[in-house]
Each structure stands twice: as structure tokens, then as C-alpha cells.
């Protein structure tokens, strides 16, 4: 028996068992065709799924969230899973209805089925306490049809939702191999007191990032926080810099202007730690144009950090003992605005210890063949950063509670 506060696959006998396996295959999609553009997360679950060869595996997964353009069914995900695993996957266009229940009851050893997007269920997206989650129809229905629950969805484990938190509280549960690896790798970084320690935040999850920045600063384990992407635009605006009407409207659409005073306070209290871009790249008549911060406001959309910024940031990253990067520096899908993201990630490969997190950022890291140059490429975006900020992820906490509730010697496994 391991000494970890949660069970791992080594602790469980999964043979001939019905296993609910929560995975995270939430991926970027082609907006026109629905085609999956990156299979990194699919590949990350291969070892766990292969380890369950003698089980009846019921996959729980999601794609995006309600009201988002890429909120859709998992039909194309089923096809991608078959391609990655090289084995048949049953796709069930149902989650807790009669069709899904009958499919699960008829499974044989070695079968794998993928249920529909769990976020189609309102119970999955309603805010409630962990104990209330155990009383949802979702959890009650599926837990009565399965023997074990395994959470391999590290990237979604910062979300307190029934598919992540509810099941471990009502049935024997463990971490999957990917989950275990993520915890091991990120714990090494979390307990690393090396200096200089540098965090790089980008992407567009401003409110989540703001919370993590405050936690990191309170923990005093950071020397520099470099800001890029929409996060940087938000902090520049909060500092009192007019970034242009179009870019301010973008912040309004993301619903982040209410956090302006918080960001302003952080900048005032940490002038030497928070590093903002010195120049930016805008899209002018369809082309890239780098402009100095003093040239703002601009009537054009900001799409990347400027050349001077990524040269400056790359130097700071290379000089770091440990660097953690989360989120792209711009619209990296467009070649002219990919330079900031690419150069920052390449610089991470030269730091002594480097961790890259975030779905999109991780995808670029794989594309640049950085697997052997960086210490760890995490599947988690918000999850990896919240973990590194010292927060206990709801998904991991639920697994720990499960271990205390279901003692292996006392249950028939």
C-alpha cells in the first residue's frame, strides 16, 4: 500500500470491474468543420487506458462549456480516441438515460465506451457543495452501475464539479497514471526554493490568473512575473494606459474590467516583480506592426507582444533557476503573431528547470519538439498554475477523502 494520501492504480484490482474513468480531452476545434486540431490530451491518457485492458471502461469527458462556440458533442472525440488508441471505442449519445445505462450493463471486459459531453448535464455546471454533488442524479445513477472511479483528468481537477468531485465521495477511487505523473512533477517545482523563480502568464483567463498571481505573491516564492497576452493587456489598462477602444472592448467582452482595482493594487505593491511588455504587435491592414507602449492608444487589435519584449523576457527566462509558463503570448495560430509565444517557450528550454502548462501552450511546446528540453509539459492550464500557487485542487482533495472513506482491506476489490 502506498503512503500517498490518495490511491493509485497500483492499489486497485481493476480486472473485470466497471470503471468510470474521467479524462480531459477538451481540445481546440476548427470552428467551421469541428475537426480536432490537436491530439495532445488524447495521447496523454493512453497509458492509463491501456492499464485497464481487463476492465469495462466508461469514459467521462467534456468539451468546452455552455455558451461557448466550441461547446459540442463528443462524436469527433470518439473518432480521435480510436485513432490514438488503435482500438474501437463505443460512442454513447447519452449520459444517464436508459440508453447509456443499458450500454454499460452490456459491457464485456476490454470494452471502452465514451459517454456524451458531461457538461450537457445542468448538474455538472451548477455551483454546489461536494456533499450536494453526491446527491445528484448524475453521480447516483452512474456510481450504481460501476465498481470504481479513476480520475485521470488533471487538467479539469481545479473545477469543483460532480464528475471530478462527486464520484470519489461515494465509491472507491484512485488517481490515473497521468494524474499521478502531474502531481509528482508539479510537486517537485512547488517545493523548489531555487532563485530566481519566474512565472509567465498569458492567454485570456484573466480572472483565474489574477487569483493565482495573488496566491503566488503571498507565498513569496517568485522573483519575477512576466505578463503577456490578454492578461498583459488587462494589466496595462489597469495601470492607466489607454490600449485603444477595440482592445478595451475585448476586455469588456471577457468580463474582466471589474477586477481593475485588484490589478492596480498588485502593480503598486509589487513594482519590481510584475513585468509588463515594453512593446506590442498589432494587426494593421492584416499585417504585423510592432509599436512601443508609449505609442498607445492604438486603433488596431493587439495580437502579440513586440520583438523588444520577447527578447527581454527570453533573457529573464534563460537566467531563471525555475520557470513556469502558462498561456500564449498572442494569437499564435497566425504565423505573424506566433513569435512571442514561440520565443518564450524556446527560452524555457534553456532554463535550469522549466514547466509549461496550459492546453494551447502545451500544444505549441509539442509542436516545437521541446519535450526533451523542458522539465515537464503539463496537460493542465488553470489546474497546473493553481497547483503551483499552493492551492489544493478539488479533484485531488476528493481523491484524498475517498481514500479515508473507502479502506482497501475493508472493501471487495
Amino acid at each position: 500500500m502506498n503512503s500517498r494520501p490518495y490511491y493509485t492504480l497500483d492499489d486497485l484490482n481493476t480486472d473485470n470491474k466497471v470503471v468510470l474513468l474521467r479524462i480531459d480531452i477538451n481540445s481546440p476545434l476548427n470552428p467551421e468543420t469541428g475537426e480536432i486540431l490537436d491530439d495532445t490530451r488524447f495521447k496523454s491518457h493512453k497509458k492509463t487506458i491501456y492499464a485497464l485492458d481487463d476492465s469495462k471502461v466508461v469514459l467521462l469527458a467534456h468539451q468546452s462549456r455552455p455558451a461557448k462556440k466550441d461547446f459540442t458533442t463528443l462524436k469527433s472525440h470518439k473518432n480521435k480516441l480510436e485513432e490514438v488508441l488503435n482500438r474501437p471505442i463505443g460512442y454513447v449519445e447519452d449520459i444517464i438515460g436508459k440508453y447509456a445505462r443499458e450500454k454499460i450493463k452490456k459491457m464485456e471486459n476490454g470494452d471502452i465506451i465514451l459517454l456524451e459531453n458531461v457538461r450537457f448535464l445542468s448538474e455538472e455546471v451548477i455551483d454546489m457543495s461536494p456533499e450536494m454533488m453526491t446527491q445528484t442524479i448524475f453521480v447516483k445513477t452512474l456510481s450504481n452501475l460501476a465498481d470504481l472511479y479513476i480520475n485521470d483528468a488533471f487538467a479539469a481537477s481545479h473545477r469543483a464539479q460532480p464528475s471530478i468531485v462527486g464520484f470519489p465521495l461515494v465509491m472507491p477511487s484512485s488517481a490515473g497514471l497521468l494524474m499521478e505523473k502531474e502531481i509528482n512533477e508539479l510537486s517537485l517545482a512547488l517545493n523548489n526554493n531555487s532563485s530566481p523563480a519566474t512565472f509567465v502568464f498569458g492567454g485570456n483567463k484573466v480572472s483565474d490568473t489574477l487569483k493565482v498571481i495573488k496566491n503566488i505573491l503571498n507565498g513569496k516564492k517568485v522573483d519575477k512575473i512576466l505578463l503577456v497576452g490578454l492578461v498583459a493587456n488587462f494589466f496595462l489598462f489597469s495601470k492607466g494606459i489607454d490600449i485603444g477602444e477595440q482592445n478595451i472592448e475585448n476586455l469588456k467582452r471577457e468580463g474582466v474590467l471589474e477586477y481593475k482595482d485588484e490589478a492596480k493594487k498588485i502593480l503598486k505593491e509589487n513594482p519590481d516583480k510584475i513585468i509588463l511588455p515594453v512593446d506590442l504587435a498589432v494587426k494593421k491592414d492584416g499585417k504585423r506592426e510592432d509599436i512601443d507602449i508609449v505609442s498607445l492608444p492604438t486603433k488596431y487589435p493587439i495580437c502579440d507582444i513586440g520583438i523588444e519584449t520577447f527578447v527581454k523576457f527570453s533573457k529573464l527566462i534563460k537566467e531563471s533557476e525555475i520557470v513556469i509558463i502558462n498561456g500564449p503570448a498572442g494569437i499564435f495560430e497566425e504565423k505573424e503573431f506566433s513569435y512571442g509565444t514561440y520565443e518564450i517557450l524556446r527560452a524555457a528550454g534553456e532554463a535550469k528547470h522549466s514547466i509549461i502548462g496550459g492546453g494551447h501552450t502545451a500544444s505549441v511546446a509539442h509542436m516545437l519538439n521541446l519535450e526533451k528540453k523542458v522539465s515537464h509539459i503539463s496537460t493542465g492550464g488553470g489546474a497546473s498554475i493553481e497547483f503551483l500557487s499552493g492551492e489544493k485542487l478539488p479533484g485531488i482533495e476528493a481523491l484524498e477523502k475517498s481514500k479515508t472513506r473507502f479502506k482497501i482491506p475493508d472493501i471487495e476489490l
Side-chain angles (χ1 to χ4, degrees), residues 187-252:
S187 293
L188 286 174
L190 184 62
N191 298 320
N192 189 322
N193 291 314
S194 301
S195 184
T198 302
F199 282 73
V200 184
F201 293 110
N204 59 6
K205 295 180 179 178
V206 175
S207 58
D208 288 348
T209 301
L210 191 63
K211 179 177 69 173
V212 176
I213 287 174
K214 288 193 290 186
N215 287 338
I216 291 170
L217 289 169
N218 287 337
K220 296 180 174 60
K221 283 190 175 182
V222 61
D223 295 282
K224 301 290 182 185
I225 297 177
L226 316 181
L227 301 182
V228 297
L230 191 71
V231 175
N233 296 350
F234 168 68
F235 269 81
L236 287 167
F237 178 69
S238 300
K239 190 178 180 180
I241 297 173
D242 185 352
I243 58 176
E245 185 177 344
Q246 186 173 164
N247 298 300
I248 295 172
E249 282 300 318
N250 195 19
L251 294 177
K252 286 182 181 177

